[in-house]
Amino acid sequence: MHKADEDLLCTLLHDLLQLDTMKGLEDLSQKSCPKWDSLAQMSLISILENEYSISIGIEDFDELTSYASIKKMLIKKGI
């Protein structure tokens, strides 16, 4: 994954979840972030599809529960 794409992912998560800092995003997950609820999850999917010009299947929704899992999916999609 290119640095610019990784930086974009960090910015998207930071903005969507209204985080106080950009530090520690590598450890971010739904379990560690109360603001990452089901509505935020749906918004995240839409934002990722739009920003990276990809399609995310319904079967992937439940797997995208952390920064690491999102990054892994993006790499799998060639980002």
Side-chain angles (χ1 to χ4, degrees):
M1 175 178 243
H2 296 290
K3 174 97 170 95
D5 291 318
E6 193 167 354
D7 289 346
L8 176 59
L9 176 57
C10 289
T11 300
L12 295 174
L13 287 168
H14 175 267
D15 293 350
L16 174 67
L17 300 172
Q18 301 171 354
L19 302 173
D20 295 332
T21 181
M22 296 282 278
K23 294 182 180 182
L25 286 178
E26 297 82 18
D27 299 322
L28 182 68
S29 71
Q30 278 183 326
K31 291 180 182 179
S32 70
C33 182
K35 293 180 182 178
W36 194 341
D37 58 12
S38 58
L39 182 58
Q41 181 72 0
M42 294 306 295
S43 295
L44 175 63
I45 298 297
S46 177
I47 290 168
L48 291 171
E49 287 183 326
N50 288 330
E51 292 293 328
Y52 292 101
S53 300
I54 59 173
S55 178
I56 300 172
I58 292 173
E59 65 278 1
D60 294 325
F61 282 25
D62 291 336
E63 294 179 27
L64 302 177
T65 59
S66 68
Y67 172 88
S69 64
I70 294 167
K71 184 176 173 182
K72 182 178 177 181
M73 180 271 307
L74 290 172
I75 291 169
K76 188 170 98 175
K77 293 195 175 276
I79 303 298

